[in-house]
């Protein structure tokens, strides 16, 4: 009953930060779990499905752009992880978190830098969070095709920054992030 949790989407300038919490079943091993950033999109998709089928418990939660702007990206990341752990439907014995800070938990926890590559339960959470966030960015692309979210997933790539400059901010852009604030005329 050890839970791993991780988030995806701290660096983008639009969309939610998504977190997942996973308690794996030691009797149903899943081969290939690793830090989601080290896996191909195809491999992440396949593993995400397998994790959902084989894990004892899993949960996905998020904070949207408005919440990120209100409380900052670090606090929103921690809150999304807290929500994911609370959404499991069971109280884990311990929570392992990727990073150097713990969300508010009612059980013991440990923050582990690089934990998504060290502990399978954190790696599994990393995969679920990344796949879910990418899926949402594809849906947002359908609503706001001018921004090409399907391509860059809202990371501040040169292409995204150029589109942001050309079209201004859309409702899912994080207004507290410098590139967006610059376009809104709030900073030079």
């Amino acid at each position: 009953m050890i839970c791993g949790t991780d988030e995806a989407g701290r660096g983008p300038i639009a969309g939610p930060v998504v977190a997942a919490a996973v308690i794996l079943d030691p009797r149903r091993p899943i081969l290939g779990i690793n830090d989601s950033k080290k896996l191909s999109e195809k491999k992440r998709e396949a593993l995400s499905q397998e994790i959902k089928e084989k894990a004892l418990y899993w949960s996905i939660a998020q904070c949207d752009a408005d919440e990120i702007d209100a409380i900052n990206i670090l606090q929103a990341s921690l809150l999304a992880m807290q929500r994911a752990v609370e959404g499991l439907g069971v109280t884990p014995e311990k929570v392992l978190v990727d990073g150097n800070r713990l969300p508010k938990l009612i059980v013991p926890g440990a923050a582990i830098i690089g934990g998504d590559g060290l502990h399978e339960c954190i790696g599994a959470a990393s995969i679920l969070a990344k796949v879910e966030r990418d899926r949402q960015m594809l849906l947002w692309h359908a609503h706001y095709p001018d921004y090409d979210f399907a391509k860059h997933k809202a990371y501040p790539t040169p292409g995204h920054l150029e589109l942001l400059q050309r079209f201004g901010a859309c409702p899912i852009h994080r207004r507290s992030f410098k590139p967006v604030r610059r376009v809104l005329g709030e900073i030079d």
Side-chain angles (χ1 to χ4, degrees):
M1 293 299 285
I2 304 296
C3 170
T5 186
D6 197 6
E7 53 70 30
R10 280 184 67 167
I13 59 172
V17 61
V18 176
V22 178
I23 299 174
L24 293 171
D25 185 346
R27 296 164 300 180
R28 300 181 77 195
I30 302 168
L31 299 177
I33 291 177
N34 199 346
D35 173 356
S36 65
K37 294 179 288 299
K38 295 179 180 175
L39 301 169
S40 69
E41 182 176 357
K42 185 176 178 181
K43 184 69 172 169
R44 280 193 306 267
E45 292 279 347
L47 283 169
S48 175
Q49 190 60 41
E50 190 175 359
I51 291 162
K52 288 177 178 180
E53 291 168 4
K54 291 183 175 179
L56 290 173
Y57 302 94
W58 61 271
S59 171
I60 297 173
Q62 68 186 49
C63 285
D64 293 322
D66 290 343
E67 285 181 289
I68 293 167
D69 290 336
I71 62 176
N72 80 44
I73 187 60
L74 172 61
Q75 295 307 314
S77 297
L78 295 171
L79 180 57
M81 286 189 278
Q82 177 187 340
R83 288 174 176 168
V85 172
E86 290 171 352
L88 286 170
V90 65
T91 303
E93 293 171 20
K94 185 175 185 177
V95 177
L96 304 180
V97 180
D98 182 51
N100 61 1
R101 302 224 178 153
L102 290 174
K104 290 181 183 171
L105 301 168
I106 60 168
V107 297
I112 303 163
I113 296 171
D116 47 3
L118 299 172
H119 296 275
E120 282 189 334
C121 59
I122 301 175
S126 166
I127 292 165
L128 292 188
K130 174 75 172 144
V131 169
E132 175 61 20
R133 187 175 192 289
D134 286 356
R135 184 191 68 78
Q136 287 189 36
M137 293 317 298
L138 293 176
L139 295 173
W140 284 120
H141 177 81
H143 287 281
Y144 305 108
D146 290 339
Y147 297 93
D148 210 8
F149 290 132
K151 182 176 180 183
H152 52 67
K153 309 296 190 288
Y155 282 89
T157 63
H160 184 191
L161 295 176
E162 190 225 309
L163 294 170
L164 178 64
Q165 189 67 42
R166 186 182 326 162
F167 297 112
C170 77
I172 68 162
H173 275 102
R174 299 173 181 176
R175 281 155 168 68
S176 60
F177 281 50
K178 282 184 182 177
V180 181
R181 289 178 61 211
R182 195 170 290 120
V183 164
L184 295 173
E186 295 176 7
I187 59 172
D188 291 330

